[in-house]
Amino acid sequence: MTNMPDAICAGAIQFDVITGDIKKNMAAAEAGIRRLGEKGCHAAVLPELWSCGFGNPAMTRESSANTPELLEKLQNLAATHQMLIAGSLPEIVENHIYNTMVVVDADGAIAGKYRKIHLFAYIDEDKTFSPGDQAVVCETACGPIGLMICFDLRFPELCRTLALKGARMILVAAQWPQARIHHWDILLAARAIENQVFVVASNRVGQDGSLTFNGHSRILSPDGRILSNAAEKPGEAFGRIEFTEIDTLKDRFDPLRERMPSVYQR
C-alpha cells in the first residue's frame, strides 16, 4: 500500500457545465484548479462529465474524441500544482462509450480509471453509455482513494466494497439536480458514516434544459461532519483532512469488523 500521509488538504470544484462547450468548461475547471493550487490543495475533484455535460449519443461520441487532449492538460496541471485531480469524462473504448472517472496523481501520472457502473435510466444515460463492471480503488500520493459517480451514491454496496478494498477517502463526481439535493446531502453523510471514510464530492451548478443544479459540493469527515461546503454558486469547497481521525474512530468502534456477510442477501 502507498505510504499514507497523516493529513492533506482537499477540494471540490463546482461550476456550470455547458453542454458541448469543451473550451468554456476546460477554462472553468482550470480556474478552479488554479485557485485550489494557490491554497496548497493536494487533491481536487471535478463534476461529472465536466468537459461536455450530458448530450445526445452523437455529441457525446464527438466529445469523447477530445478526452485524450483534456487528460494531457489535466496531467500538466496536476504536475504544476503537485495536486491529484479527478473527474469524469466520456471515454470511448472499442466502440463503447463510458462515463469514466480518471484520477491524475500529483506527479501528473494517471493513477486509475473508474467506469460508472450504475447508469441513470431516468435521463436515458444507459442509451448513450455502457456500464462499467469494476469497483476501483487507486493507490495515490494521497493514499488509497475510492471512486464513485453520481447515481452510484444510491448503492451502498459499492461504497462498502471500496472501504473493504482499503479506501480511506472517496471521491464523488456528480450532476445531481436541485429537486433531489436533499437526498445528495443525506447519502453523502451516510456513505461517510457507515464506512468511516472521508468523502470529497463535487456537484455542478447551473441550468440544463428543465433541470437546475445547485452544487452543495462538500467535504465530509468519517463521522459525517461537513468540513467544507461550496453552497450553491460556482466555487470550491476546501478543507483539511486528518487521516488519523479514521484510526481514532476505529479504535473506539469499527462497524466493518462486526459485519456478518453470511446472512446478507446477495
Side-chain angles (χ1 to χ4, degrees), residues 97-249:
I97 304 176
Y98 297 95
N99 184 345
T100 300
M101 193 167 182
V102 182
V103 177
V104 180
D105 213 341
D107 62 357
I110 293 177
K113 296 181 178 182
Y114 162 66
R115 294 169 180 162
K116 187 177 182 182
I117 294 171
H118 304 101
L119 303 178
F120 194 36
Y122 181 77
I123 61 167
D124 293 333
E125 188 179 6
D126 57 326
K127 289 182 172 58
T128 298
F129 296 97
S130 297
D133 59 6
Q134 292 186 24
V136 175
V137 174
C138 299
E139 294 294 339
T140 75
C142 296
I145 292 176
L147 308 176
M148 299 177 71
I149 302 175
C150 204
F151 191 41
D152 286 334
L153 273 178
R154 294 191 181 274
F155 299 86
E157 302 94 331
L158 177 57
C159 197
R160 175 54 52 87
T161 298
L162 298 175
L164 291 172
K165 288 166 72 77
R168 288 161 70 90
M169 181 167 67
I170 306 295
L171 302 185
V172 184
Q175 291 206 30
W176 198 285
Q178 182 181 35
R180 293 180 292 280
I181 202 67
H182 178 57
H183 296 180
W184 163 264
D185 294 342
I186 291 173
L187 291 170
L188 287 175
R191 300 295 86 88
I193 292 167
E194 66 198 5
N195 296 294
Q196 294 180 320
V197 293
F198 286 93
V199 174
V200 182
S202 169
N203 187 38
R204 67 165 288 188
V205 295
Q207 196 78 22
D208 188 359
S210 62
L211 292 176
T212 300
F213 299 87
N214 64 330
H216 287 220
S217 298
R218 55 188 48 184
I219 301 170
L220 296 103
S221 74
D223 61 2
R225 288 177 294 114
I226 299 172
L227 303 178
S228 180
N229 179 35
E232 299 186 353
K233 295 180 179 180
E236 299 84 40
F238 176 75
R240 183 174 174 81
I241 287 176
E242 302 272 357
F243 286 114
T244 52
E245 185 178 336
I246 295 175
D247 302 317
T248 300
L249 281 173

Side-chain angles (χ1 to χ4, degrees), residues 2-25:
T2 302
N3 291 333
M4 169 62 67
D6 291 333
I8 65 168
C9 290
I13 301 168
Q14 63 183 37
F15 57 89
D16 186 359
V17 178
I18 309 301
T19 303
D21 198 330
I22 292 173
K23 186 176 180 179
K24 283 188 178 179
N25 294 330

